Amino acid sequence: MAGFAELGLSSWLVEQCRQLGLKQPTPVQLGCIPAILEGRDCLGCAKTGSGKTAAFVLPILQKLSEDPYGIFCLVLTPTRELAYQIAEQFRVLGKPLGLKDCIVVGGMDMVAQALELSRKPHVVIATPGRLADHLRSSNTFSIKKIRFLVMDEADRLLEQGCTDFTVDLEAILAAVPARRQTLLFSATLTDTLRELQGLATNQPFFWEAQAPVRTVEQLDQRYLLVPEKVKDAYLVHLIQNFQDEHEDWSIIIFTNTCKTCQVLCMMLRKFNFPTVALHSMMKQKERFAALSKFKSSIYRILIATDVASRGLDIPTVQVVINHNTPGLPKIYIHRVGRTARAGRQGQAITLVTQYDIHLVHAIEEQIKKKLEEFSVEEPEVLEILTQVNVVRRECEIKLEAANFDEKKEINKRKQMILEGKDPDLEAKRKAELAKIKQKNRRFKEKVEQALQRQKASGAGRRGCPSRAQPEACLSPAPAQGPA
Ligand SMILES: Nc1ncnc2c1ncn2[C@@H]1O[C@H](COP(=O)(O)OP(=O)(O)OP(=O)(O)O)[C@@H](O)[C@H]1O
């Protein structure tokens, strides 16, 4: 198998890899590094924890060493924590170059960032929102001459999720040169492949790991069917067992909202589990502190929203617990990918309620693997059920008293004002949108009912059915159609 030197990397970089314990290139590195060194755009799709970061950091550092200037490379990434992690890889691998990097993320001092940017760092690692803010408000730096544009977790940057990067990305893409190398990476690139191909047009090289299953082999994937109302008792039981059976352990638990994340964190602490929370309602400094305490094993449990589901590389994590079944298979893939990284073993347990079974089927179809059932001693869970529910309720009351929801609303309004939007107008727009959606839903239901009636009455022949069921005629009727 080819080593790093055979991929065309200089001896100083090969030595850096050796010092870091990277002996052999991983398949994604083997595939992508030569193409990037040749000057081609690259779309790299490989499983979580397979070394995608070094697959772009190494060739960029090589090119930078041949023609050093600032700003040479811009890396965009969806979360702040990930930006710091990528910067660290650049720093460690690029140490012999005296690499200057600059991290541009929200929640940190904007003036200090502007100053750093004006000093022409070699590499800028940014979240799109904050970088676009700098581009709009300052002319002390330029990204007009960058040689490399990297989009890590590229599909997330392009999709329109709860954080929509579209407007900011447009501003950034308008400010970078057309002649550049574009590198796009993710474990789930294929969903947005067409949009991504529009970005990488310079002899694009597409690399995808060929594997029958989309998650790593070392990952033991389980589900646990639990009634909604007793979910938390199962969670406490799982953690207790894990703590009893392992000496050195660490778990990430994913939840669907900031509020659940906060309540569960408080609850688990009441049971004396060393837990920290990570969600977007926390101040940035608190987020960094939480993550660093978890990384250094001061806390054994990190309870987080999907802000932590992508990219975070914490080798000690042995178990991922999904407190809610992810609504999208790709969210599942990224969440469970926080364990079993770089060849290590890991386990993922997804709590599934009676309402989520269809979501599990969708996940299994995407990952091309069946989840196995995780068995627990139910009497033991029942023993702690009342206590867990009482403690959870107490925590909820405490959080409500701290005006958590109100703070969330204020934060949202602040964010909109910062984005130049009118919060009241936005609320009106949202309400109108909800109305339209409801109308659409009703229309769809009507059509489905009509179809079913048509089927049941055996009148499913071509053309409009009998006069007795006029609503079953499904020819387009714009006046009734969705707005
Ligand atoms: N050639 C290599 N040999 C051994 N370990 C490696 C090698 N390349 C990278 N690693 C290690 O593998 C781990 C995972 O790498 P990385 O974070 O780049 O994964 P990824 O593919 O970006 O995952 P994700 O999709 O979750 O973001 C890191 O700890 C990294 O140091």
Side-chain angles (χ1 to χ4, degrees):
M1 198 196 207
F4 283 106
E6 283 79 58
L7 299 183
L9 292 171
S10 309
S11 52
W12 68 271
L13 266 173
V14 178
E15 175 56 21
Q16 284 304 100
C17 290
R18 196 193 60 78
Q19 280 192 18
L20 268 178
L22 316 183
K23 292 184 192 107
Q24 287 292 327
T26 63
V28 65
Q29 294 161 1
L30 274 174
C32 297
I33 291 174
I36 300 172
L37 289 175
E38 267 173 36
R40 296 174 68 180
D41 284 355
C42 181
L43 294 99
C45 182
K47 291 179 186 181
T48 51
S50 60
K52 293 185 286 294
T53 319
F56 63 80
V57 170
L58 288 167
I60 290 174
L61 287 174
Q62 167 121 344
K63 292 287 175 187
L64 176 68
S65 70
E66 290 163 7
D67 179 18
Y69 69 87
I71 298 173
F72 184 82
C73 168
L74 169 63
V75 184
L76 297 176
T77 183
T79 68
R80 302 164 182 181
E81 286 76 9
L82 211 43
Y84 278 78
Q85 190 177 290
I86 296 169
E88 198 178 287
Q89 287 241 12
F90 267 107
R91 257 173 236 167
V92 177
L93 286 165
K95 195 151 195 286
L97 279 186
L99 181 92
K100 269 198 292 178
D101 69 88
C102 172
I103 303 169
V104 178
V105 296
M108 304 302 275
D109 184 9
M110 204 157 160
V111 178
Q113 286 173 359
L115 257 175
E116 263 190 77
L117 282 168
S118 69
R119 291 188 195 122
K120 295 193 175 175
H122 299 118
V123 181
V124 173
I125 305 108
T127 48
R130 179 53 71 88
L131 182 68
D133 282 349
H134 278 287
L135 287 170
R136 289 182 198 114
S137 64
S138 140
N139 54 6
T140 55
F141 75 102
S142 162
I143 49 173
K144 265 200 194 86
K145 293 202 171 118
I146 60 160
R147 204 40 208 282
F148 283 96
L149 171 67
V150 183
M151 287 168 75
D152 192 33
E153 308 295 346
D155 56 327
R156 175 65 194 92
L157 290 171
L158 286 183
E159 79 191 2
Q160 289 162 359
C162 57
T163 315
D164 189 348
F165 298 111
T166 325
V167 179
D168 298 321
L169 275 184
E170 274 170 18
I172 294 166
L173 290 173
V176 295
R179 238 176 83 88
R180 59 166 197 259
Q181 246 180 287
T182 308
L183 315 180
L184 310 167
F185 283 88
S186 176
T188 49
L189 266 191
T190 35
D191 296 350
T192 41
L193 199 56
R194 205 171 310 144
E195 291 97 315
L196 293 167
Q197 275 166 339
L199 281 170
T201 52
N202 164 29
Q203 294 177 278
F205 171 79
F206 180 59
W207 195 88
E208 188 178 15
Q210 294 304 317
V213 179
R214 290 185 72 190
T215 43
V216 296
E217 297 80 50
Q218 297 84 352
L219 179 65
D220 175 31
Q221 304 181 67
R222 307 268 171 161
Y223 72 90
L224 180 55
L225 204 55
V226 293
E228 176 71 45
K229 286 197 175 127
V230 297
K231 215 180 194 184
D232 298 332
Y234 276 88
L235 179 70
V236 171
H237 175 76
L238 281 179
I239 300 171
Q240 186 63 57
N241 266 10
F242 203 75
Q243 184 175 262
D244 293 345
E245 285 166 14
H246 298 82
E247 227 164 66
D248 196 18
W249 58 284
S250 107
I251 301 177
I252 297 187
I253 303 166
F254 284 105
T255 64
N256 57 350
T257 68
C258 298
K259 193 172 174 181
T260 313
C261 184
Q262 194 64 36
V263 169
L264 288 180
C265 180
M266 291 160 75
M267 184 190 87
L268 294 177
R269 283 183 173 189
K270 289 255 180 210
F271 285 100
N272 288 327
F273 292 126
T275 313
V276 268
L278 179 62
H279 57 74
S280 59
M281 284 275 294
M282 289 162 66
K283 292 196 182 103
Q284 191 52 48
K285 278 196 180 141
E286 293 168 354
R287 276 167 65 165
F288 285 140
L291 195 58
S292 101
K293 282 178 193 155
F294 178 64
K295 276 184 173 175
S296 53
S297 299
I298 297 173
Y299 289 90
R300 302 288 183 159
I301 301 171
L302 178 73
I303 182 150
T305 57
D306 282 308
V307 74
S309 66
R310 282 188 181 246
L312 287 186
D313 181 49
I314 307 165
T316 50
V317 176
Q318 291 142 339
V319 180
V320 167
I321 300 177
N322 285 315
H323 182 259
N324 72 304
T325 313
L328 288 175
K330 74 168 157 187
I331 296 182
Y332 174 87
I333 293 174
H334 287 280
R335 279 184 178 188
V336 299
R338 294 319 98 212
T339 183
R341 298 176 69 74
R344 291 181 193 85
Q345 300 292 322
Q347 187 173 50
I349 306 166
T350 301
L351 302 186
V352 180
T353 71
Q354 61 272 39
Y355 312 112
D356 309 320
I357 294 167
H358 64 291
L359 299 176
V360 176
H361 291 153
I363 289 167
E364 289 177 333
E365 202 173 301
Q366 272 277 324
I367 63 170
K368 311 259 185 295
K369 190 180 165 79
K370 286 251 169 251
L371 306 191
E372 279 174 46
E373 190 165 6
F374 189 89
S375 64
V376 293
E377 296 293 332
E378 281 187 17
E380 287 180 22
V381 180
L382 292 177
E383 250 174 50
I384 56 168
L385 178 62
T386 313
Q387 192 195 1
V388 171
N389 282 351
V390 168
V391 172
R392 164 141 189 174
R393 188 65 202 129
E394 278 171 9
C395 294
E396 275 172 350
I397 292 168
K398 207 167 162 194
L399 201 65
E400 272 154 29
N403 297 328
F404 192 82
D405 287 329
E406 215 172 284
K407 277 186 202 152
K408 188 173 171 185
E409 202 45 47
I410 293 168
N411 273 359
K412 251 196 210 159
R413 288 178 74 87
K414 265 196 214 158
Q415 187 57 35
M416 280 187 203
I417 292 166
L418 281 175
E419 286 167 7
K421 294 176 190 159
D422 177 337
D424 295 323
L425 257 178
E426 286 297 316
K428 223 168 141 188
R429 211 175 57 85
K430 232 176 157 182
E432 273 166 19
L433 216 74
K435 242 185 190 168
I436 294 170
K437 272 192 182 158
Q438 201 183 13
K439 217 170 153 189
N440 281 353
R441 222 181 1 253
R442 266 195 242 126
F443 177 69
K444 231 171 136 187
E445 278 166 15
K446 245 179 160 176
V447 173
E448 271 164 18
Q449 284 164 7
L451 271 171
Q452 270 168 9
R453 270 199 295 275
Q454 198 179 35
K455 232 176 167 182
S457 68
R461 288 177 288 274
R462 227 172 272 156
C464 195
S466 74
R467 272 165 194 257
Q469 297 135 342
E471 70 275 37
C473 178
L474 295 175
S475 57
Q480 294 175 13

